[in-house]
Amino acid sequence: MNLRLIGIGAGVLIILSLPLAGAIAGPDFAGQGDGKGGGLFSALGLSDRSRTSPADSAPAGGPQQPGPAEQPRTDSRCGPELSSPHGVEAQTCVLVGDGRTWGRSYYRNTSGRTLDAVLTMMGPAGRTVQIRCAVGAGDEPGLCETPKEVSVGEPEGYSAVAEFAVPDDEGELLLRSGSNSPAPGDG
């Protein structure tokens, strides 16, 4: 495995875990001391309060303070992390959340030149969304993402492919990364 991709993955995990860390360590706004009012249990929908309306659980005569806003769940299906001998690394995913589906490609471009990326998300019944992203030269990780579209059918009916190429007349393809690509060596 490439150490840069491991670093990208670790950075992404840290960024994605911040809301969960806030829920674990966050203040227990409503129902302090009862162990059911906020924090991790309510963020995960495990408290008894998540099954009642706010009026049922409001303290009598006192103002109710809002707790942390619930974040919609986002599921992802990603292909393997790939790298090319030309200095491009990428991983492409299909994400589903809040009734919407979209494609995302995480990348790093160490080729020393600006590249073009085309991210295509294909869905059921021939639905296709495509976006073009400029990929700057440098060692910083980036991402290219399609617009979020209303989900149709099952999540397994979607796939995404990102293609990284030199932006000239020849358009030399440097790397193709897919959400359902087999891992290297899987055939």
Side-chain angles (χ1 to χ4, degrees):
M1 269 214 225
N2 191 320
L3 291 177
R4 289 186 188 137
L5 284 178
I6 292 171
I8 291 171
V12 169
L13 285 175
I14 290 170
I15 290 169
L16 294 176
S17 66
L18 289 177
L20 181 59
I24 293 170
D28 188 357
F29 288 111
Q32 288 189 350
D34 68 0
K36 299 186 284 185
L40 180 60
F41 286 100
S42 66
L44 296 175
L46 299 175
S47 72
D48 291 343
R49 298 194 63 206
S50 65
R51 296 185 203 108
T52 61
S53 71
D56 294 339
S57 60
Q64 182 175 356
Q65 294 182 5
E70 281 194 36
Q71 297 293 319
R73 178 184 168 100
T74 301
D75 292 321
S76 64
R77 192 177 74 256
C78 299
E81 297 172 356
L82 300 175
S83 61
S84 79
H86 305 289
V88 182
E89 303 166 353
Q91 182 178 32
T92 302
C93 306
V94 170
L95 294 102
V96 178
D98 201 25
R100 298 188 175 279
T101 305
W102 65 101
R104 180 182 292 166
S105 186
Y106 302 96
Y107 63 83
R108 183 183 301 256
N109 174 17
T110 61
S111 70
R113 54 188 167 179
T114 301
L115 303 175
D116 280 340
V118 176
L119 176 59
T120 305
M121 190 177 72
M122 297 148 289
R127 297 169 54 112
T128 302
V129 176
Q130 189 174 71
I131 190 163
R132 190 174 288 274
C133 299
V135 176
D139 200 21
E140 293 301 314
L143 66 90
C144 182
E145 185 172 89
T146 66
K148 297 176 182 179
E149 300 288 331
V150 174
S151 297
V152 176
E154 296 298 317
E156 295 79 25
Y158 288 87
S159 62
V161 175
E163 297 177 315
F164 297 85
V166 177
D168 61 14
D169 292 337
E170 295 179 26
E172 178 188 1
L173 181 63
L174 302 180
L175 181 67
R176 178 179 289 131
S177 168
S179 63
N180 58 351
S181 300
D186 286 352

